[in-house]
Amino acid sequence: GLEVQTCALPICFPMMDTRTANVADLVNSPGDVSLLLDAVANHPEVFGVVDTENIVYVGGSMGGIAGLLFSNECCADPRIRGVIASASYASNETTGFLFPYDFDNGPEVLAIIGVKDSTIPYSYSSKLIGISPKVQVISVAEGEHRNPTGGCPAFGPFIDGFIAHVLQGADSPVWDAPCGSTGLLPGGIEGPGALGNYLVT
């Protein structure tokens, strides 16, 4: 008989020219992902047999912001079962959201945000905490933009648990490591950060 194995297959592609931040094109990125999944599904002779119906999207920074757009009607794709977004949100009470999100109707989200992130400041990203029951946020005191987990070894098994939860129906993992918190941490960088010029009201 044929033995079938389940595995995670990362599919990576650049979202934009890294020399410039084309924020206006972010809204098109979920559609690009959907087209890529179509290509993978329709061409097993090139990509092999891949289960494209059960996908966890993983993105950091602008890639994570684009992944959060799967929550919206414009960009919804039922194949995206979960989103892991790190260093990836921008909002505050005066400038509003970079993009509006409809988290209650989208895939489950795990957001990892760093208190020391100077590109998308913690004062913005922390607005994700409590925004929806479908969004779980881990705040990391030592997290920075390029290293949102702060090197915390607990994230590996926790992310594995999140993926097992959204793809296989396992219980949702419970965060209990001291290097991060599910609540608001004190401090954090104030001000618009490097992404401030792209915020919209």
Side-chain angles (χ1 to χ4, degrees), residues 1-48:
L2 178 66
E3 182 179 345
V4 178
Q5 295 183 349
T6 302
C7 65
L9 175 68
I11 302 172
C12 303
F13 65 99
M15 297 190 57
M16 63 197 70
D17 184 336
T18 56
R19 294 170 295 178
T20 182
N22 187 1
V23 176
D25 190 51
L26 277 176
V27 73
N28 297 315
S29 295
D32 294 341
V33 172
S34 296
L35 287 173
L36 177 62
L37 291 176
D38 291 344
V40 170
N42 294 330
H43 296 284
E45 73 283 3
V46 176
F47 299 101

Side-chain angles (χ1 to χ4, degrees), residues 45-143:
E45 73 283 3
V46 176
F47 299 101
V49 178
V50 178
D51 179 6
T52 56
E53 296 301 312
N54 296 288
I55 301 294
V56 174
Y57 175 98
V58 181
S61 190
M62 292 175 73
I65 293 172
L68 294 175
L69 285 168
F70 284 113
S71 297
N72 291 353
E73 186 178 355
C74 70
C75 311
D77 186 326
R79 298 172 293 188
I80 306 296
R81 308 290 182 162
V83 171
I84 300 173
S86 61
S88 301
Y89 201 64
S91 74
N92 73 12
E93 281 124 1
T94 57
T95 55
F97 299 113
L98 184 64
F99 293 106
Y101 298 111
D102 183 13
F103 292 114
D104 292 333
N105 293 310
E108 291 198 49
V109 172
L110 170 61
I112 303 166
I113 56 177
V115 172
K116 295 181 178 179
D117 189 332
S118 60
T119 301
I120 302 177
Y122 184 71
S123 56
Y124 290 18
S125 296
S126 61
K127 303 302 180 188
L128 276 172
I129 297 171
I131 201 168
S132 167
K134 295 185 84 172
V135 178
Q136 184 170 11
V137 180
I138 309 295
S139 299
V140 184
E142 298 302 314

